[in-house]
Amino acid sequence: MRIASGFRMRTLCNEHIVVGEGMERVDFNRLVSMNDTAAYVWEQLCGREKFDAETVCRLLLEKYDVTREVAYDDSRNLIKSWADAGLLED
């Protein structure tokens, strides 16, 4: 999977918000807010052609002092939430 085209993260007043660029992505009823960890992962994945839960897990382990189990569970949950929000594509 990869981040769907047309989405960009913006930081407004210390809040990380994913917004759609272009008329096909505009939906003012759905803004996606990210915490600092999710924003870090988003930044690392932008421009990658493909990634999976293992990729996200490695990113979390490189930056944070967490166990592999916690990092992997968090990576799966993050990917699911992004997929549910329509931010990912195959």
Side-chain angles (χ1 to χ4, degrees), residues 8-12 15-19 31-34:
R8 303 288 180 263
M9 184 175 61
R10 304 285 186 236
T11 302
L12 304 166
E15 292 289 324
H16 308 289
I17 308 290
V18 172
V19 295
L31 293 175
V32 178
S33 179
M34 294 189 186

Side-chain angles (χ1 to χ4, degrees), residues 20-60:
E21 295 181 344
M23 292 308 294
E24 70 277 0
R25 296 287 188 204
V26 173
D27 181 354
F28 293 106
N29 295 316
R30 293 179 56 199
L31 293 175
V32 178
S33 179
M34 294 189 186
N35 65 21
D36 290 339
T37 302
Y40 161 75
V41 171
W42 180 276
E43 289 173 340
Q44 298 303 307
L45 295 176
C46 279
R48 288 193 189 202
E49 188 60 31
K50 295 284 183 182
F51 65 86
D52 58 14
E54 186 59 36
T55 306
V56 175
C57 179
R58 283 194 305 270
L59 291 170
L60 293 174

Side-chain angles (χ1 to χ4, degrees), residues 41 51-58 60 68-82:
V41 171
F51 65 86
D52 58 14
E54 186 59 36
T55 306
V56 175
C57 179
R58 283 194 305 270
L60 293 174
R68 179 166 179 61
E69 180 180 354
V70 167
Y72 192 77
D73 286 345
D74 287 350
S75 68
R76 288 185 17 208
N77 290 333
L78 183 60
I79 287 171
K80 182 182 181 327
S81 70
W82 287 356

